[in-house]
Amino acid sequence: MFGVVFPNRSFPMDISTFSQIDTFHWVLDMNTFVGEAYDQVREVCIFLLNSFTLPPDKALAVYIQSPGSSFLFCGAITLARPSAVLSLPWPDPGGQMQLTADAAPLSAKIGVSVEDLATLPSLDVAAERRIERLALKVGENLFNFMQSFCGVDGSKLVVPMDILDRWFKKFQERAKRDPEYLKGFVL
């Protein structure tokens, strides 16, 4: 059906590594896989195996759960997108406490489920976050540039009329001169 690889941490693993909860849900106990260092695993590559066909209106959704917290959606794969490398932004552990010393420890989990494609928010949550960070950094750069030319007129800030043109030209020139410049906005 599907397989996973944790880049730089594992060989490919198939569905047999996961515990099957029911027909459409599987869970991987990260404490068994990496112990308490689950939060050091930052990415997972999930892929459909050749012998499995997913209906076109369905997706394999990937979720993560830190000990005591709720599951958090990370992304999904479909028949049209049969593999993906997804970021694992582990949430802080939740407030559920062990009440007895002999209780089994709470563990981190990765969940995979078959879901309706139409109900999922986005196939790649990490890509959306990178785009959002990029937009915020570019906006911050523009704001800082404009602020250095601002004057005050009563309760209003006044900037020169050509300020956007000047900022954009400077931004383009810097990006052409230094290819690493734009990469700094995405991190």
Side-chain angles (χ1 to χ4, degrees):
M1 179 173 234
F2 68 89
V4 297
V5 171
F6 296 98
N8 301 318
R9 293 192 171 266
S10 77
F11 292 103
M13 299 183 289
D14 67 9
I15 195 171
S16 67
T17 311
F18 286 70
S19 299
Q20 187 165 2
I21 306 303
D22 59 33
T23 307
F24 300 113
H25 297 89
W26 300 265
V27 173
L28 177 65
D29 184 333
M30 291 300 286
N31 288 30
T32 303
F33 178 63
V34 292
E36 292 182 16
Y38 68 89
D39 59 345
Q40 299 302 307
V41 178
R42 307 305 288 164
E43 293 180 319
V44 63
C45 175
I46 184 166
F47 50 91
L48 294 175
L49 296 174
N50 290 338
S51 60
F52 180 70
T53 56
L54 196 61
D57 63 335
K58 300 287 183 185
L60 274 181
V62 177
Y63 295 86
I64 57 173
Q65 179 186 42
S66 293
S69 70
S70 301
F71 275 99
L72 175 69
F73 178 72
C74 295
I77 58 173
T78 64
L79 198 54
R81 182 182 183 226
S83 66
V85 176
L86 303 174
S87 292
L88 302 177
W90 294 98
D92 291 332
Q96 295 179 2
M97 301 298 290
Q98 288 180 235
L99 299 177
T100 62
D102 60 343
L106 296 171
S107 62
K109 295 177 176 61
I110 293 183
V112 177
S113 65
V114 177
E115 298 185 19
D116 289 328
L117 184 57
T119 64
L120 296 176
S122 169
L123 294 184
D124 192 350
V125 173
E128 283 187 356
R129 287 187 185 127
R130 283 191 302 272
I131 291 168
E132 182 180 329
R133 278 195 308 270
L134 173 64
L136 289 172
K137 291 258 190 174
V138 170
E140 180 183 10
N141 183 277
L142 173 60
F143 176 78
N144 290 337
F145 183 80
M146 288 177 65
Q147 194 174 27
S148 66
F149 293 94
C150 283
V152 178
D153 181 17
S155 63
K156 297 178 183 173
L157 291 176
V158 179
V159 295
M161 286 186 61
D162 67 340
I163 195 72
L164 287 176
D165 288 330
R166 289 168 37 193
W167 169 78
F168 192 60
K169 285 177 186 171
K170 181 180 175 188
F171 192 83
Q172 285 179 312
E173 287 170 5
R174 176 93 189 260
K176 285 178 187 174
R177 260 191 340 266
D178 181 8
E180 297 297 313
Y181 179 65
L182 292 179
K183 289 179 184 176
F185 282 84
V186 180
L187 300 175

